[in-house]
Amino acid sequence: MRMNDIDSAYDLVIVGGGVTGAGVFHQAVHLGLKLLLVESQDFAWGTSSRSSKMVHGGLRYLKEGTFLLTRSAVKERQRMLSAYPGLVTPLDFIMPIYKNYGPSKTTIKTGLSIYSLMAGQRQHCFFNRETTLEMVRGICPDALASSVGFMDAQVDDARLVLRLIFDACDMGGHALNYTAAVKIDRDRQGRVRAVQIKEADTGNQRQIATSVVINATGAFVEKLHPSPVKGFHIRPLRGSHLIFPGDSLDLDRVISFIHPRDRRPVFLFPWEGCLVLGTTDMDFKGNLEQDPSISNQEIDYLMEGLGFIFPHLDLGVDNALSSICGVRPVLSKKKKQASKESREHVVWKDKGLVTVTGGKLTTFSLLAKDALRAAGAWLPKPEKGKKPQDHLKWHSGRLGLSPGQLLRLQGRYGARAEAMTDLFNSRASECVGSSHTLWAELIHGARAEQVRHLSDLLLRRVRIGLVLPNGGMDIMDRIQKQVSPFLDWDPDQWKTEILNYKQLWDRAYSPRPGQG
C-alpha cells in the first residue's frame, strides 16, 4: 500500500508504527472505526525492534515501589502468553545469589513472593550452590551461596508489531510506512480537523481529514505535541545489547546478574539460536532520526559484566555477531539517574490530539487502551468490528514442518501464515543458514509485508541481519535470487540496496559500529 491507495478521510489517524501505535491500531479496528496508521520510517524501526525481547513484570520496579506497574505488567505477560502462542513464549530465569555481593536471599525471596502472588501462582524456586554450578557451567563460584529460578516470557519484538499491524490491516485498517505526519491542522476553535502526511521517497504530500490523531511516536512525541507539564520532557535513554553465537556458552535460560560497576541487573539470554547480552541504561545524545548504535563505553560495560559472571569464558566482542541499540522514550524531570527513571506512561489530550508515551513493551496494550479512552470524546460511536481470524489448524507433516515450526509461524503471522503454504513444497521450508528463520518467511516478507528497503526485510521482517555472521552478506546472492521476483527492483536498485544495507549494518548493527 502506498499513499495514493488510501482514502481522504478517516475516523482516527495513528502516528507511529512502533508497538504502542500498533497496539492502538489493533484495538481500534475492533471498534469498527475507519483507521489510518502512518510511520515515518519502517514499522518497528525504533526501539520496538531493538528491545531486550522480554515480556516481564520487571522485578526491579518492586524495589522502586512501583507495585501497580509490576502488577499490570505481570497480568499483561499472562495475557500475551495466552493470546500469542508461538510468538510470546515462556522463558526460565536464574539469578545467582552471592554472600558478599548483590541482594540477599531474603530480599529476593520477598520480591519473588510478591511477583508470584501477582501472577496467581508460585513461579520461583531456590537452588543450592552445587546445583547452581551444575546448571550454569562456568559461573563465578567465588562467594556463591545459591540461586533462584523464576519464570517470565520472551517475544520477537518486531514480529509482534508486524503481527498487530497486519492483523488490523486484514480487518480493514490502512497502514503506511515511510510516511510522516508533518502537521496537524485545526479549525478556528483549535480542534483537530486534518493531518498533513508526506511520503519519504517521493516527497508527495496529502491532507487527510480526521477529528482525532493519536500521537504514539515514542521519543519523537514532542515534535507533534510539546509537553504540557513544565519541566517534564522526553528523556531519551539508550539501551544496547551484544549478540553472540548460540554455541558460545551452553545456556538454556536467562541468567540475571548484578553488574559490579553500578549494581544494575544485566541479562545474558538465548534468543533465535543466539545469546544476547544486555542492557545498558544511559542518556542518548545522538540524532534520533538515524539508526542508533552501541558505543565503545557500552561495549566495555557489557563485556566487563560478562567477564565478572563468567570469569573463564574466552569470549570477546570480536566474537559477537551483531549489536543493537534502542532509545527508550522516558518522561523525566532529569532529577534521577537514568536507571532509576520510571517506566510508567503518560497520556496528554489537546482538542483531538492525544499523545501517549513512556511505558514498556509488556504493557503496550494498556497504553493503547488509555489512549483510545482519552480519544473517545472525539470518536464516532463504536460499532461492532470484525472478528480476527482463528489460528490455522495445519498438519505439520504435510507441510514438512515440525510442530515447533508450525507454532512459530502461527504465532508470528497469524491468519497470514496460510499465504505461505504454497512455499513449503520447495527448499523454502529450510532454515536460512544457522538461524531459525525459514526461507519461506523471507519470501513472504518480500511479497506481502510492505518492504521498501533491504534493511526492512533482513532486520525486521526476519532477523537474519542480527543472527547471521556479517549481517547475512555472505549469502546475499541467494537472498536476492529468492526474493527478487517479489520486489520491484531493477539490477541497479538491487546494487544500491545491498550497498546501503551493508553501510547501515556496519554503522549501526555490527559488533563494533563504524569499524566494519
Side-chain angles (χ1 to χ4, degrees), residues 193-469:
R193 68 178 185 87
V195 58
Q196 302 279 347
I197 63 174
K198 181 179 180 180
E199 198 168 39
D201 54 355
T202 66
N204 293 337
Q205 294 195 40
R206 283 188 64 181
Q207 182 184 70
I208 304 299
T210 186
S211 58
V212 193
V213 173
I214 292 183
N215 173 20
T217 54
F220 299 90
V221 292
E222 289 196 79
K223 286 191 172 185
L224 284 180
H225 192 171
S227 172
V229 182
K230 185 177 180 180
F232 194 53
H233 299 285
I234 285 288
R235 180 183 183 181
L237 297 178
R238 58 188 298 133
S240 295
H241 303 75
L242 288 168
I243 301 177
F244 294 91
D247 59 4
S248 302
L249 181 69
D250 184 16
L251 192 66
D252 64 351
R253 65 195 63 212
V254 179
I255 179 166
S256 172
F257 62 96
I258 303 301
H259 198 285
R261 185 189 302 182
D262 56 7
R263 302 301 192 263
R264 287 182 58 254
V266 178
F267 305 96
L268 180 66
F269 56 94
W271 177 72
E272 289 294 297
C274 298
L275 289 175
V276 182
L277 174 67
T279 180
T280 60
D281 206 349
M282 57 191 300
D283 285 298
F284 178 78
K285 304 293 187 180
N287 182 353
L288 289 171
E289 302 284 350
Q290 296 180 351
D291 291 70
S293 60
I294 192 171
S295 65
N296 288 331
Q297 179 183 355
E298 290 172 298
I299 291 172
D300 293 343
Y301 174 87
L302 292 175
M303 295 308 297
E304 178 187 346
L306 184 64
F308 164 77
I309 198 66
F310 290 105
H312 303 297
L313 182 64
D314 185 19
L315 195 67
V317 65
D318 291 335
N319 301 115
L321 293 168
S322 64
S323 65
I324 51 175
C325 176
V327 181
R328 307 179 188 97
V330 174
L331 269 295
S332 169
K333 292 186 178 180
K334 292 192 176 180
K335 293 183 178 180
K336 297 181 179 180
Q337 295 179 5
S339 61
K340 303 290 186 183
E341 289 284 13
S342 171
R343 297 302 191 259
E344 296 184 275
H345 67 276
V346 297
V347 176
W348 304 326
K349 297 187 289 184
D350 182 15
K351 297 181 179 180
L353 174 60
V354 174
T355 293
V356 57
T357 193
K360 52 206 289 286
L361 174 67
T362 309
T363 57
F364 80 90
S365 182
L366 302 182
L367 273 70
K369 288 178 182 176
D370 286 350
L372 286 169
R373 187 179 299 115
W378 301 286
L379 289 171
K381 185 177 179 180
E383 299 176 0
K384 189 175 181 180
K386 297 180 180 178
K387 292 184 178 180
Q389 299 181 49
D390 294 332
H391 282 291
L392 301 173
K393 303 299 182 183
W394 285 347
H395 298 290
S396 56
R398 179 174 64 84
L399 298 174
L401 302 174
S402 70
Q405 288 175 319
L406 177 65
L407 183 62
R408 171 191 170 92
L409 291 178
Q410 290 176 330
R412 288 164 175 259
Y413 301 95
R416 283 197 171 194
E418 187 174 12
M420 297 185 201
T421 56
D422 64 311
L423 300 172
F424 294 116
N425 293 324
S426 67
R427 295 182 67 187
S429 59
E430 297 177 1
C431 289
V432 181
S434 59
S435 76
H436 293 174
T437 299
L438 302 178
W439 283 100
E441 296 180 76
L442 196 72
I443 295 169
H444 172 78
R447 73 179 182 180
E449 294 192 323
Q450 293 185 224
V451 166
R452 298 277 192 99
H453 299 290
L454 190 57
S455 56
D456 304 339
L457 181 62
L458 303 186
L459 295 173
R460 288 173 289 276
R461 302 305 181 277
V462 298
R463 314 309 294 274
I464 62 176
L466 301 178
V467 303
L468 292 185

Side-chain angles (χ1 to χ4, degrees), residues 55-303:
V55 178
H56 65 136
L59 279 172
R60 78 175 183 86
Y61 303 126
L62 288 177
K63 181 181 177 182
E64 296 167 9
T66 52
F67 292 93
L68 291 178
L69 175 60
T70 304
R71 185 180 67 176
S72 296
V74 169
K75 289 183 176 180
E76 281 300 295
R77 179 196 69 191
Q78 297 304 107
R79 183 193 68 81
M80 291 173 67
L81 281 166
S82 176
Y84 302 106
L87 176 59
V88 181
T89 56
L91 190 63
D92 290 328
F93 280 61
I94 189 167
M95 180 186 297
I97 301 172
Y98 290 93
K99 296 176 183 177
N100 59 354
Y101 176 79
S104 67
K105 182 176 180 178
T106 300
T107 300
I108 293 172
K109 184 176 181 179
T110 300
L112 284 169
S113 295
I114 296 172
Y115 207 57
S116 294
L117 184 64
M118 290 175 174
Q121 56 181 309
R122 181 181 172 87
Q123 296 182 328
H124 68 276
C125 61
F126 287 89
F127 306 108
N128 62 27
R129 171 187 165 88
E130 290 71 25
T131 302
T132 302
L133 291 171
E134 290 177 3
M135 293 174 66
V136 188
R137 301 284 183 178
I139 192 172
C140 181
D142 300 340
L144 178 67
S146 60
S147 66
V148 60
F150 58 98
M151 190 276 285
D152 258 320
Q154 187 178 66
V155 68
D156 183 325
D157 46 7
R159 282 309 325 174
L160 173 62
V161 172
L162 295 165
R163 169 76 189 273
L164 294 168
I165 288 175
F166 292 129
D167 275 1
C169 286
D170 291 342
M171 296 168 64
H174 292 166
L176 298 176
N177 54 352
Y178 294 101
T179 305
V182 294
K183 183 183 178 184
I184 305 294
D185 294 331
R186 297 178 181 269
D187 63 18
R188 291 183 178 180
Q189 287 73 43
R191 295 172 299 199
V192 171
R193 68 178 185 87
V195 58
Q196 302 279 347
I197 63 174
K198 181 179 180 180
E199 198 168 39
D201 54 355
T202 66
N204 293 337
Q205 294 195 40
R206 283 188 64 181
Q207 182 184 70
I208 304 299
T210 186
S211 58
V212 193
V213 173
I214 292 183
N215 173 20
T217 54
F220 299 90
V221 292
E222 289 196 79
K223 286 191 172 185
L224 284 180
H225 192 171
S227 172
V229 182
K230 185 177 180 180
F232 194 53
H233 299 285
I234 285 288
R235 180 183 183 181
L237 297 178
R238 58 188 298 133
S240 295
H241 303 75
L242 288 168
I243 301 177
F244 294 91
D247 59 4
S248 302
L249 181 69
D250 184 16
L251 192 66
D252 64 351
R253 65 195 63 212
V254 179
I255 179 166
S256 172
F257 62 96
I258 303 301
H259 198 285
R261 185 189 302 182
D262 56 7
R263 302 301 192 263
R264 287 182 58 254
V266 178
F267 305 96
L268 180 66
F269 56 94
W271 177 72
E272 289 294 297
C274 298
L275 289 175
V276 182
L277 174 67
T279 180
T280 60
D281 206 349
M282 57 191 300
D283 285 298
F284 178 78
K285 304 293 187 180
N287 182 353
L288 289 171
E289 302 284 350
Q290 296 180 351
D291 291 70
S293 60
I294 192 171
S295 65
N296 288 331
Q297 179 183 355
E298 290 172 298
I299 291 172
D300 293 343
Y301 174 87
L302 292 175
M303 295 308 297

